[in-house]
Amino acid sequence: MAAGTSRKIYAASARSHTRRANKSSGLTLPSGFFPAVLLLLLAGLVAWGYQAIQPPPPKICGSSDGPPVTASRIQLRDGRHLAYQERGVSKDVAKIKVVFIHGFDVCRLDDVIATYTSPELVEELGIYFVSYDRPGYGESDPHPSRTVKSQALDIEELADQLGLGTKFYLIGYSLGGQIGWGCLKYIPHRLAGVTLLTPASNYWWPGFPSNLSTEALYKQPTCDYWSLRVAHYVPWLTHWWNTQNWFPSLGATRPHVLCREEREVMAKLIAKGASHRVIFHEYVRPQGRYESLHRDLNLGFGTWEFDPVEMENPFTGEEVYVHLWQGDEDTLVPATLQRYIAERHSSWIRYHELTGSGHYFPHVDGMADTIVKTMVNGKQ
């Protein structure tokens, strides 16, 4: 019998066979596995982002899960409600009827002119004041599709339902003053006179020289600068931007940006317990921040259907006067933009610039009387 052939197996060869065996027995991922995982992660991220930018549903006043209705309200033609507050003399005997439009992050209770006008002047002139909650504020129903025009028509319908007559006076403060431009555009035939108290300017109104509006916007605090840009360019991000904690968001009344007079006024209000941040806060946004503050930003600083800078005189042939008041040290609403508008409309706007005054000048002692007397006396 022939002897068997001997075969040497070297260590290196053994290791090679072992590696091939291990390699063939390992886990093999299916084709396209990693792209599928990435797609799922992307879909999850998009879903999370979508949920993050969605505002919570409003808590409608008077609904089963909403705050109670405590204010006087009217129902508009479209079914919405507007809450209002009346002050001064009875409208049945009033000689002068005034609709007051509140500003940003306040409500009908913050009618500074009715609050600070002396009782003697109110009686002497026979002044009736009505202030109302703008849509989404206080106890007025939200209005998701509101426009500059719809807000003017809300005021007209409020006046009609309260029986204020064919004409009434209008006073708008801050962002409420901005709505005054809409009233001048859409309901001038109802206005006996208009007073705009440091009305907020939209930095993107086309009539402003770009260098002027850009410079004014850059002077805003960083938190406000970015919040306003978000409201203008990507309004669907406004709620997320102003509720997140990663980047600076809106902080319009932070003390470090106020001028000396503004700080003094705020200190006096707080000392008296009359600051809207102390007293009125719970009444301002019971239906949610989005329906009040954030929609306000989107409309006020979005794209308007007309440009107040380019407006024609709405009172041609009539003796109706528009008074624009502005503090030269206002850190919230730049005086430079008001001066430009006033100069463009010098034939029909009376411009009153207050030296050393800021955004809260209507709270200064005696100022409300001066504003009311000027409104009633027209040209003076």
Side-chain angles (χ1 to χ4, degrees):
M1 173 181 272
T5 304
S6 69
R7 183 180 178 186
K8 292 183 180 179
I9 299 176
Y10 295 95
S13 177
R15 286 195 297 270
S16 175
H17 281 282
T18 303
R19 281 198 299 269
R20 283 197 293 270
N22 290 340
K23 194 170 185 179
S24 61
S25 62
L27 177 64
T28 302
L29 296 176
S31 175
F33 175 79
F34 286 110
V37 170
L38 290 176
L39 185 60
L40 285 173
L41 290 175
L42 179 60
L45 183 61
V46 169
W48 172 84
Y50 178 79
Q51 291 296 325
I53 66 175
Q54 296 305 302
K59 296 181 178 179
I60 307 297
C61 285
S63 64
S64 58
D65 62 342
V69 174
T70 62
S72 299
R73 304 203 303 178
I74 63 166
Q75 186 169 20
L76 302 172
R77 284 186 293 267
D78 63 6
R80 289 182 295 115
H81 295 87
L82 282 187
Y84 65 92
Q85 174 179 260
E86 298 172 293
R87 302 176 72 174
V89 304
S90 167
K91 62 174 175 283
D92 298 327
V93 300
K95 300 174 184 176
I96 297 169
K97 297 169 184 176
V98 181
V99 176
F100 180 84
I101 315 172
H102 70 76
F104 181 78
D105 203 10
V106 286
C107 65
R108 70 188 184 282
L109 303 177
D110 197 42
D111 183 344
V112 294
I113 302 303
T115 299
Y116 292 106
T117 300
S118 64
E120 296 78 14
L121 185 62
V122 171
E123 290 295 330
E124 175 190 342
L125 298 179
I127 308 175
Y128 160 88
F129 295 97
V130 60
S131 55
Y132 71 102
D133 289 331
R134 296 194 283 111
Y137 279 102
E139 296 182 30
S140 287
D141 293 339
H143 189 197
S145 59
R146 65 182 170 183
T147 62
V148 177
K149 183 176 183 178
S150 74
Q151 296 203 98
L153 297 181
D154 283 353
I155 292 172
E156 182 177 36
E157 192 169 352
L158 174 70
D160 287 341
Q161 292 204 33
L162 294 181
L164 302 190
T166 57
K167 289 189 179 250
F168 51 87
Y169 287 88
L170 189 75
I171 299 178
Y173 183 21
S174 192
L175 208 57
Q178 190 187 69
I179 295 170
W181 292 113
C183 295
L184 287 167
K185 172 70 174 177
Y186 295 113
I187 58 168
H189 56 289
R190 303 300 305 274
L191 306 176
V194 177
T195 297
L196 305 178
L197 307 176
T198 183
S201 296
N202 184 324
Y203 300 93
W204 292 272
W205 284 338
F208 282 133
S210 59
N211 62 323
L212 187 69
S213 57
T214 300
E215 180 184 5
L217 180 59
Y218 277 138
K219 287 183 178 179
Q220 293 298 301
T222 302
C223 54
D224 295 355
Y225 170 82
W226 284 107
S227 291
L228 297 179
R229 286 178 64 87
V230 167
H232 182 76
Y233 291 110
V234 281
W236 46 272
L237 272 181
T238 298
H239 170 73
W240 175 81
W241 183 267
N242 290 288
T243 54
Q244 51 78 35
N245 297 312
W246 299 347
F247 307 104
S249 57
L250 194 69
T253 56
R254 293 179 183 175
H256 69 278
V257 302
L258 303 180
C259 73
R260 180 186 57 80
E261 183 194 79
E262 290 167 335
R263 291 194 297 270
E264 290 175 356
V265 169
M266 290 298 291
K268 181 174 71 173
L269 291 176
I270 293 172
K272 290 181 177 180
S275 170
H276 69 264
R277 297 291 175 184
V278 177
I279 299 298
F280 297 148
H281 180 79
E282 64 182 288
Y283 299 106
V284 173
R285 19 175 156 143
Q287 301 177 98
R289 297 177 64 184
Y290 181 74
E291 295 298 338
S292 52
L293 312 188
H294 303 160
R295 286 199 189 278
D296 226 7
L297 291 174
N298 287 347
L299 180 60
F301 299 97
T303 301
W304 279 36
E305 60 261 37
F306 74 96
D307 182 1
V309 182
E310 302 291 349
M311 278 185 69
E312 298 292 334
N313 182 358
F315 303 119
T316 303
E318 299 181 69
E319 287 216 0
V320 179
Y321 300 100
V322 179
H323 295 276
L324 197 163
W325 296 79
Q326 176 69 35
D328 69 341
E329 294 187 14
D330 193 326
T331 56
L332 303 180
V333 176
T336 53
L337 300 183
Q338 307 288 30
R339 293 174 192 143
Y340 187 83
I341 292 179
E343 185 177 348
R344 290 289 300 269
H345 302 320
S346 59
S347 64
W348 56 281
I349 289 182
R350 308 294 184 264
Y351 182 57
H352 313 271
E353 186 166 303
L354 306 174
T355 303
S357 289
H359 197 69
Y360 301 116
F361 66 82
H363 295 268
V364 174
D365 293 341
M367 197 66 229
D369 280 15
T370 300
I371 291 169
V372 168
K373 289 177 182 178
T374 303
M375 175 188 74
V376 173
N377 293 329
K379 290 184 178 181
Q380 298 180 17

